[in-house]
């Protein structure tokens, strides 16, 4: 030990000398605007995954069927399962990287047998070897911190995935109910057009209607049937997509229930304006922030790669020709040591690596700025859609009232024998087309509300 103590003192002196020579303070205050004192809030996985999707907001639709689909998606969606597994993977990477900050110890058992001429000998050894890289410059700790940023980014990816899936389920459900409405009204239109065509056949046979009018009525009827078929196809496709979102087989779509399209509304409050600070709760914004912090840490690590590695090591051996006396102190051999090892020439790879990390930081900074701008744009777009579609719906409802009034007047005329059944059916088809337009706009507003929910990161 008397010989080891002077070596340790010399080692410590060299470390204290290296710090100012290599400019450690300059390394820590890197010029890339990374403020390590103002650390971002720690991100942890949600214990209850339903916290990600804000079920209270979805209850504003007052539709237990929709709530059930959201719950099924949270519990069964395969993409969400993968996102959760990604978190577990990155956590294990933290554990692995953290091990680099700790000492390592290895051991074994090494029997040996040798024969040289007539002489034969056997030996047994139990080596125990310890090593530790002193992290005086914080390089290994920085690497662990960088890995933790990736772990937090994976948590935010999971949160974003839950919000996206919930939004997709809600939008698909609303569009399916919209198609239910469009199909019901289109079936009425087809029925009217069929009646008109049949009346045209009779009128043409009696010479009242021309063949040209008959052809037009037939064409209009066929077109209505074609439109009805297309609507049913779209509904089936959306039901198939819904099945995948909730983790179910598309073979079960015939069993999927939904509310009556006439009653689906949203009773919650969607503001006309919001503060721009609302983007700071979006998962993509927070993720870009974490990746920017990681890029800054990577620059620090790249700079510290210029510094030498400081290591301590030790070995303890039991070595004996006889197995029975192997673990006795007389057969023990031990030693301690340390060293400083630095790269003298590497062909410019260290400097190039530092430049690469600086470029990566600049890219992360630009991506952070872009995410900031994109987030504000998406929130503004969602509010514009909400407000404009509300205004459009209001105007369309005025048109609907006028069409309803006109249809009532024509119904009175028909009852008085002023107009024919053909004319009344045409007026009714006009009213149905206006009803389709109004209900479609109502569902557009519901889709806009879901878009706003997604734009603000479900923190409505």
């Amino acid at each position: 030990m008397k010989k080891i103590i002077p070596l340790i003192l010399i080692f410590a002196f060299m470390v204290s000398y290296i710090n100012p020579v290599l400019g450690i303070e300059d390394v820590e205050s890197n010029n890339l605007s990374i403020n390590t004192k103002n650390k971002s809030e720690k991100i942890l996985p949600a214990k209850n995954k339903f916290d990600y999707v804000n079920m209270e907001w979805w209850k504003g639709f007052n539709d237990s069927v929709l709530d059930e689909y959201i719950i099924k998606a949270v519990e069964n969606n395969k993409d969400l399962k993968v996102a959760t597994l990604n978190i577990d993977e990155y956590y294990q990477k933290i554990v692995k990287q953290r091990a680099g900050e700790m000492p390592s110890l290895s051991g074994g058992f090494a029997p040996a047998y040798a024969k040289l001429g007539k002489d034969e000998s056997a030996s047994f050894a139990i080596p125990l070897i310890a090593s530790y890289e002193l992290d005086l410059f914080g390089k290994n700790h920085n690497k662990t911190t960088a890995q933790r940023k990736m772990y937090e980014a994976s948590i935010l990816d999971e949160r974003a995935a839950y919000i996206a899936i919930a939004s997709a389920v809600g939008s698909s459900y609303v569009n399916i109910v919209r198609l239910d409405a469009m199909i019901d009204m289109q079936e009425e239109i087809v029925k009217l057009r069929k009646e008109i065509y049949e009346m045209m056949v009779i009128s043409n046979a009696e010479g009242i209607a021309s063949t040209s009018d008959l052809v037009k009525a037939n064409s209009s009827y066929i077109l209505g049937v074609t439109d009805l078929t297309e609507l049913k196809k779209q509904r089936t496709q959306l039901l198939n997509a819904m099945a995948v979102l909730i983790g179910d087989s598309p073979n079960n779509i015939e069993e999927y229930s939904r509310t009556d399209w006439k009653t689906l509304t949203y009773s919650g409050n969607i503001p006309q304006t919001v503060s721009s600070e609302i983007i700071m709760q979006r998962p993509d914004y927070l993720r870009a922030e974490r990746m920017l912090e990681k890029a800054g840490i990577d620059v620090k690590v790249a700079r510290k790669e210029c510094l030498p590695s400081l290591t301590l090591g030790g070995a303890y051996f039991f070595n004996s020709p006889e197995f029975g006396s192997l673990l006795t102190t007389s057969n023990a051999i031990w030693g301690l040591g340390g060293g400083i090892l630095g790269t003298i020439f590497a062909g410019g790879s260290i400097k190039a690596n530092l430049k690469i990390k600086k470029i990566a930081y600049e890219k992360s900074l630009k991506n952070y700025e872009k995410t900031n701008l994109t987030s504000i744009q998406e929130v503004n777009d969602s509010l514009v859609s909400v407000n404009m579609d509300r205004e459009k719906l209001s105007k369309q409802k005025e048109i609907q009232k006028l069409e309803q009034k006109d249809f009532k007047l024509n119904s009175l005329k028909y009852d008085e024998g002023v107009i024919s059944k053909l004319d009344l059916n045409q007026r009714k088809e006009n009213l149905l087309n206006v009803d389709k337009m109004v209900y479609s706009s109502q569902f557009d507003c519901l889709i806009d509300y879901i878009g706003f929910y997604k734009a603000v990161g479900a923190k409505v």
Side-chain angles (χ1 to χ4, degrees), residues 323-336:
F323 185 79
S325 60
L326 178 60
L327 298 178
T328 60
T329 56
S330 60
N331 291 319
I333 305 171
W334 63 274
L336 295 174

Side-chain angles (χ1 to χ4, degrees), residues 155-166:
I155 296 173
L156 293 166
D157 285 339
E158 182 193 44
R159 180 182 153 196
Y162 272 86
I163 294 172
I165 293 299

